[in-house]
Amino acid sequence: RGAAMSMLALAVRRGAHVFRDVARATGVRPLASFHCSAQTMGAFNDNVTFSHIAREWRCKWESKEGDLAELQKVLDSKLAAIKAVDGVVSVQRVVCGGCQDYKVVTKLDADKFGAWEEAKFAPEAEFLAEIEKLGVKRIETQTYTLETL
């Protein structure tokens, strides 16, 4: 189990899209088959554990205030669907006016994350397609663990 969790930790660091690749290459079970609870949560090592995994959608908006307002409209149109995903703990929006970052972070219970990944993180594709039409730059996604300390 320790080796499997180490491979899982590596996959989380590299992004969710490699979970299946790691499983195929090593025979380690993908995240969806791990049961994470207070007794058996994921771990990177003995003292860095996790029970939540987050998916981040991000982009760079232009200096026009209209871009930011339009981004928020797209998020508002998808927010109910995001919050309806089984296992969602929180949805956060991060905006930096200095570097013009716009980020949406959806935090899930780790044992529910695999099902959302299988569903291709819906409504991720629709959200990303809509913000791309706005002309924003550097549209990216990332998966990582997220814990309140």
Side-chain angles (χ1 to χ4, degrees), residues 15 17 23 31 36 38 53 68 82 93 115 123-125 130 132 138:
H17 62 279
L31 179 64
C36 297
I53 300 176
L68 188 56
I82 298 167
R93 185 205 62 223
E124 178 176 286
E130 288 183 37
E132 184 175 26
R138 292 187 55 194

Side-chain angles (χ1 to χ4, degrees), residues 72-90:
Q72 187 60 45
K73 286 179 187 176
V74 174
L75 177 57
D76 289 344
S77 75
K78 305 294 182 212
L79 195 53
I82 298 167
K83 288 182 174 183
V85 171
D86 187 30
V88 167
V89 173
S90 66

